[in-house]
Amino acid sequence: MSLNNPSNVFLDSVPSNTNRFQVNVINESHESSAAADNTDPPHYEETSFGDEAQNRFRVSFRPGKQECYDDFLQNGETAKTDANLHAYDSHTNTYYLQTFGHNTMDAVPKIEYYRNTGSVSGPKVNRPSLLEIHEQLAKNVAVTPGSTDRFANGDGMPGDEQAENKEDKSGAVKFGWVKGVLVRCMLNIWGVMLFIRLSWIVGEAGIGLGVIIIGLSVVVTTLTGISMSAICTNGVVRGGGAYYLISRSLGPEFGGSIGLIFAFANAVAVAMYVVGFAETVVDLLKESDSMMVDPTNDIRIIGSITVVILLGISVAGMEWEAKAQVILLVILLIAIANFFIGTVIPSNNEKKSRGFFNYQASIFAENFGPSFTKGEGFFSVFAIFFPAATGILAGANISGDLEDPQDAIPRGTMLAIFITTVAYIGVAICVGACVVRDATGSLNDTIISGMNCNGSAACALGYDFSRCRHEPCQYGLMNNFQVMSMVSGFGPLITAGIFSATLSSALASLVSAPKVFQALCKDNIYKALQFFAKGYGKNNEPLRGYILTFFIAMAFILIAELNTIAPIISNFFLASYALINFSCFHASYAKSPGWRPAYGIYNMWVSLFGAVLCCAVMFVINWWAAVITYVIEFFLYIYVTYKKPDVNWGSSTQALSYVSALDNALELTTVEDHVKNFRPQCIVLTGGPMTRPALLDITHAFTKNSGLCICCEVFVGPRKLCVKEMNSGMAKKQAWLIKNKIKAFYAAVAADCFRDGVRSLLQASGLGRMKPNTLVIGYKKNWRKAPLTEIENYVGIIHDAFDFEIGVVIVRISQGFDISQVLQVQEELEKLEQERLALEATIKDNECEEGNGRIRGLFKKAGKLNITKPTAKKDSSINTIQSMHVGEFNQKLVEASTQFKKKQGKGTIDVWWLFDDGGLTLLIPYILTLRKKWKDCKLRIYVGGKINRIEEEKIAMASLLSKFRIKFADIHIIGDINIKPNKESWKLFEEMIEPYCLHESCKDLTTAEKLKRENPWKITDAELEAVKEKSYRQVRLNELLQEHSRAASLIVLSLPVARKGSISDWLYMAWLEILTKNLPPVLLVRGNHKNVLTFYS
């Protein structure tokens, strides 16, 4: 006989996107009655615990308190409660409210459990493992108040000293978003191009196309900035800038290849900027006839001295370098302001002869359109300007020296792009409206009376520059690179601005190159470069990297062939931009639950467009330089792929591989799992997938496109018959899943007993990384009437799952899951209908037969005797079954089986995160809110706490959730979990367990021992007394659930763990019954106490 998970095995009973944070804190008082809610919550079962609901005192935190959330750390101290607690709350004089229990090692959620080992933001603490809280407590271990409190708060394990971060960080210099990012990005973006090339670009392209060129450049940098902001806010960002962001998103192959060329590009950029500075100085020396040797050697001498000075500033420390950057920015801002002031100062004759006439509408109109000279065009002019828009990574490159990179990089970078864009456009429009394209510079080129101007703006203003059409002129937008100096109020300030722009860019590159290179070397992707990973001082300064950058810069300064190398360097930067955009796209496309950027203004397709645009710009600037860049990057990619560095950062490449074809499963086994890519991979004990559709639907809701889902069935009975039945139904049931568009697998085993079959599934299911980590079962609603073996099997598989370190989810709905009897009725009806049609066809065929009348009459008589009666009998059967279908097989069961297929309206998912299980209790409802059917439901978080620490614990939980980037509508801190439940509730629980109690204490010793031997499964008085407080807690929790979550769309609740050998099966079932009675759909969740959430990138 085979049983397809018999019907009595598992029977049962959007987050808001606002910036304002509001949390309700609940201070419990069990002595008073609550006012009734205006809305009557839905009724789920016949019994209610709401007769003595309590009043609550609510406190709201408004935006003014927001700054407290991130500053607060839960210290986990114990405290005595007020008079609401009773003597039974503890066996000692100390109350342990962190875990609402007594003599327990179970821990509440804390941020320390989610840190990486060696984290600089605080020590990592190991929570009690599932084995430690699940296995029977050793008899020789005394649970003292101090040790219990330490365990409950996750402060450590016996004999396990947490390693402290010995590096002294107290004196480290950390920068905010202004000094660390905004200043650096503005200085890098405002380069020499602003002062000596922008006027020429306006002269060539005109004001209209010039603004378009600026805008197109800004589109590239803005898209890259948005992608970078999304990546930066997807967890804690460490040092390494662009390399760190790319490598943690796309993996070491892309990160290692782009990191090396990006660091090299920054080192060579130092030489480029220094040579630009030296050329300006040499030009001044020429004007004063003060040359030292010759122009080329003078550039080398001045450049070398400049690099040595900049190196000294950098080595002195980041604080000195930051001060120098601020001074340079002030000079640059004064120079820009000096230009705008100069445009309104009335022009003199000398400036007019050079083409400057202040703001003139005629000049604006004349300069609005393009006037490209021979060999120039839109793309050639764009290629010259675009390097001026780069520099947006200057702040990200020192991410390790920022106080809060997640906030500083997006804010500072995007604001810098905006400010510099406004400045570029403003200068372009102003210079185009004030200066003509060509001017002779001669004071004698004035208009002769009677001369025809032919629409020339200069002619209309009294000057004749017509000879510039036939011979070269030295002034005007097209000819003079020093237009801004001429227009400005005080020319030397523009020269100072050029100095500031070049030196600040050189200084930023000199700092960026060693920082990025050090991060690359620390990751040990290129083992030969490990020497440069060492840092010195309180800021972990890469002195070895500084020296290497210095020698690279000096080499290129001495070579003095920067015109050849400059296009390649620009393409190196663009390649970094392209990969940052692609990283954002790739991470989004992988749909990993670990991808939760706090910066929501991004789109993966826009990021992909940005990546393509960057690649196109690379070819526009210089096609051969773009080819060289791709060849170098491809070579490094192949090299890193071949070497296979031993790193695992949970990259989006791994995540995308997971959801790709099963052909990659074997290769994926060589890569370790990462917490960012964790997803629930479930074994669902549905029996046949069509017999418990609601259980499959709710599981599919948080596994679809996210994790593995295996519908499992255990065939119990004689092996031969079971295997035959199992094999015959495999294809049919998998086809049913495909037909119903359920992305799940079907698996079945044959076993001697149900528990053995489930144990086999838990151990053998899955392939490689696609291995189940969560067991989903339905609640056994008929446990009070079930045989002893079924209860033992049911509780036993929960123990087995914990033994295999597999999380458990128990789902309960009011009507239960099993609709196998309904399916049997439908199948029987279909068979009867088929038989009826077959009989009608047979009768018709008989009537058509030819024969003598006697034989035909005999057949008709036989037909009446043999066919009509059975038909009537079957009609009677149909009527009987239909009546049963309407009555006994209640339509509510059918409706309940489809409740999770429907779109859930605006409601709440109440998450009662009572114990820290690694985050599965929080991750499952978060994933549900991403689904279309659940997206209108908001998360409400309920956690326990001390009555006298409600505000602090609420702030700590809010801070933890914000670090996880999980949005929520409300947080409630429940402070009265440990008070005694009301008498009616407790009486109901006692009546529930009465048939299963041994009551040996009222018997003599001999009789008691005999009862124990005869009924070892019964609940003893000693057991009841030992776990009385835990029983109180389950009853009390149901009262709180009735009060707070009766109207919720779904309740997600921490599953209590029964310690093996201490809690009997019947008592554990009673706990689950009383805990979830008369409630909406409930998910009892217990992870395997390993992290499934992280706030790291």
Side-chain angles (χ1 to χ4, degrees), residues 126 179 215 224 264 269 318 432 452 528 531 589 632 669 685 699 731 756 770 824 869 944 952 995 1034 1055 1067:
N126 292 325
K179 188 181 289 187
T224 305
F264 177 78
M318 289 295 297
N452 185 10
F531 172 80
Y589 189 73
I632 295 174
T669 56
L685 298 185
T699 307
D756 288 342
M770 299 177 65
Q824 289 175 5
K869 289 183 179 179
E952 293 87 345
Q1034 314 310 324
L1055 172 68
L1067 179 59

Side-chain angles (χ1 to χ4, degrees), residues 246 250 253-259 261 526 571-572 574-576 578-579 615 618 626-641:
I246 295 171
L250 292 178
E253 294 83 6
F254 282 102
S257 58
I258 200 63
I261 65 174
Y526 302 98
N571 276 275
F572 281 179
L574 273 170
S576 303
L579 279 181
C615 295
M618 290 174 66
V627 171
I628 292 175
T629 302
Y630 282 122
V631 169
I632 295 174
E633 186 175 342
F634 180 76
F635 171 80
L636 293 174
Y637 179 90
I638 296 298
Y639 174 82
V640 176
T641 304

Side-chain angles (χ1 to χ4, degrees), residues 474-490:
Q474 296 182 356
Y475 298 98
L477 295 176
M478 308 279 281
N479 310 300
N480 183 16
F481 291 153
Q482 303 297 328
V483 167
M484 286 191 68
S485 296
M486 177 190 68
V487 173
S488 65
F490 184 61

Side-chain angles (χ1 to χ4, degrees), residues 115-158:
R115 298 191 192 279
N116 281 346
T117 302
S119 171
V120 297
S121 58
K124 174 179 173 59
V125 178
N126 292 325
R127 73 176 61 81
S129 67
L130 187 60
L131 188 67
E132 289 164 345
I133 69 167
H134 181 229
E135 286 292 335
Q136 186 173 4
L137 196 62
K139 295 182 180 179
N140 58 349
V141 177
V143 184
T144 63
S147 64
T148 302
D149 185 55
R150 184 165 68 94
F151 290 135
N153 293 285
D155 295 333
M157 302 306 300

Side-chain angles (χ1 to χ4, degrees), residues 551-856:
F551 281 113
I552 293 174
M554 284 294 293
F556 280 95
I557 289 172
L558 296 178
I559 292 172
E561 291 291 335
L562 293 182
N563 289 337
T564 302
I565 199 71
I568 299 178
I569 301 306
S570 296
N571 276 275
F572 281 179
F573 287 125
L574 273 170
S576 303
Y577 294 178
L579 279 181
I580 288 174
N581 282 294
F582 186 74
S583 297
C584 182
F585 162 78
H586 203 265
S588 303
Y589 189 73
K591 298 178 181 179
S592 171
W595 174 250
R596 302 186 297 273
Y599 190 86
I601 310 175
Y602 78 99
N603 180 274
M604 67 176 185
W605 299 112
V606 173
S607 297
L608 180 61
F609 172 75
V612 173
L613 191 60
C614 288
C615 295
V617 171
M618 290 174 66
F619 284 92
V620 168
I621 291 178
N622 193 303
W623 70 266
W624 60 262
V627 171
I628 292 175
T629 302
Y630 282 122
V631 169
I632 295 174
E633 186 175 342
F634 180 76
F635 171 80
L636 293 174
Y637 179 90
I638 296 298
Y639 174 82
V640 176
T641 304
Y642 174 77
K643 288 296 183 180
K644 293 182 180 179
D646 187 20
V647 293
N648 181 22
W649 296 319
S651 67
S652 58
T653 303
Q654 297 174 20
L656 191 61
S657 296
Y658 176 84
V659 295
S660 68
L662 195 59
D663 297 338
N664 296 324
L666 184 60
E667 185 176 351
L668 286 174
T669 56
T670 61
V671 182
E672 294 182 5
D673 287 322
H674 193 280
V675 61
K676 283 198 314 183
N677 293 328
F678 174 88
R679 58 196 75 224
Q681 302 185 98
C682 300
I683 282 184
V684 195
L685 298 185
T686 58
M690 63 285 292
T691 59
R692 291 176 177 83
L695 182 61
L696 180 56
D697 289 338
I698 188 62
T699 307
H700 191 240
F702 59 81
T703 60
K704 181 182 180 182
N705 295 331
S706 177
L708 178 67
C709 182
I710 305 177
C711 301
C712 296
E713 185 172 8
V714 179
F715 290 84
V716 180
R719 180 170 297 275
K720 186 176 181 179
L721 294 177
C722 289
V723 171
K724 182 179 179 181
E725 184 179 0
M726 178 179 69
N727 292 338
S728 64
M730 292 283 286
K732 176 183 177 183
K733 291 168 183 175
Q734 184 65 55
W736 183 90
L737 292 172
I738 296 173
K739 180 181 178 181
N740 288 272
K741 298 181 180 180
I742 297 176
K743 296 184 178 181
F745 299 97
Y746 171 76
V749 294
D752 294 331
C753 72
F754 182 75
R755 183 177 180 181
D756 288 342
V758 175
R759 189 185 289 122
S760 299
L761 289 168
L762 293 174
Q763 295 179 86
S765 296
L767 179 65
R769 283 181 60 192
M770 299 177 65
K771 190 172 183 63
N773 54 34
T774 306
L775 172 67
V776 181
I777 59 177
Y779 177 71
K780 190 170 182 61
K781 186 178 180 182
N782 69 333
W783 63 276
R784 293 189 233 187
K785 301 178 181 179
L788 173 62
T789 54
E790 289 188 6
I791 301 300
E792 290 177 345
N793 283 336
Y794 184 84
V795 179
I797 63 173
I798 299 175
H799 288 304
D800 292 338
F802 290 152
D803 288 338
F804 299 140
E805 294 190 339
I806 292 176
V808 175
V809 177
I810 301 178
V811 188
R812 179 173 186 176
I813 59 176
S814 59
Q815 299 298 326
F817 290 108
D818 193 355
I819 62 168
S820 57
Q821 292 175 313
V822 175
L823 294 177
Q824 289 175 5
V825 169
Q826 293 176 348
E827 185 179 355
E828 185 65 25
L829 288 172
E830 291 175 359
K831 288 181 179 180
L832 290 175
E833 180 66 16
Q834 292 174 359
E835 289 182 8
R836 186 182 66 80
L837 294 174
L839 287 171
E840 289 181 353
T842 302
I843 293 173
K844 186 177 292 185
D845 291 342
N846 289 337
E847 289 178 349
C848 294
E849 288 182 359
E850 294 183 358
N852 55 54
R854 185 176 179 183
I855 296 176
R856 185 182 298 116

